[in-house]
Amino acid sequence: DLKNSLDDGDYVARNKSTLGAFLRSWLEEKEPTVKYKTIKSYKEHLHHAFDSDLSNLQLQKLTPEHIGVLVSELHKSGASPGTIKNFRDVMRNALNRAVKTRSKEIPL
């Protein structure tokens, strides 16, 4: 199975990086490529993830259900639909990057 995963390019190296560490790394990577207001907006939307228990969750253990719980908590806290949409969009952007770089170690 391992050889097939390697041959198919599906192998994902074990990585203990947390969601919080990845998001900080992603923000640092994005900062020189986007406007100041954009990075500020990203940080404001991602604070929901940084302030949650998910921040300490290993990135490789993150599931759609984890994000769903966080979105549900945002709904319950009275966050506007626009805020929730923006949070989801920024998380999607960051997590798509995580998928593309999944075999690389993210600094803790």
Side-chain angles (χ1 to χ4, degrees), residues 4-31:
N4 288 338
S5 289
L6 285 169
D7 292 343
D8 295 340
D10 293 332
Y11 176 73
V12 178
R14 289 188 185 239
N15 186 323
K16 293 188 178 189
S17 297
T18 64
L19 175 62
F22 172 77
L23 291 174
R24 281 187 289 280
S25 174
W26 179 79
L27 284 167
E28 288 174 8
E29 179 184 303
K30 294 296 277 182
E31 199 159 5

Side-chain angles (χ1 to χ4, degrees), residues 20-65:
F22 172 77
L23 291 174
R24 281 187 289 280
S25 174
W26 179 79
L27 284 167
E28 288 174 8
E29 179 184 303
K30 294 296 277 182
E31 199 159 5
T33 66
V34 297
K35 293 180 180 179
Y36 172 78
K37 282 182 146 183
T38 301
I39 202 72
K40 184 178 176 189
S41 174
Y42 287 172
K43 288 177 182 179
E44 288 171 0
H45 292 297
L46 290 177
H47 90 272
H48 301 294
F50 286 126
D51 293 346
S52 75
D53 293 339
L54 291 184
S55 185
N56 296 317
L57 181 71
Q58 285 183 6
L59 185 59
Q60 289 184 333
K61 294 183 179 181
L62 182 69
T63 65
E65 289 77 20

Side-chain angles (χ1 to χ4, degrees), residues 4 17 19 24 27 32-33 47 60 67 70-71 78 82 88 92 96 100-101 103 108:
N4 288 338
S17 297
L19 175 62
R24 281 187 289 280
L27 284 167
T33 66
H47 90 272
Q60 289 184 333
I67 302 299
L70 188 52
V71 168
R88 291 180 63 199
R92 182 180 302 111
N96 282 341
K100 289 178 184 173
T101 62
S103 61
L108 297 173

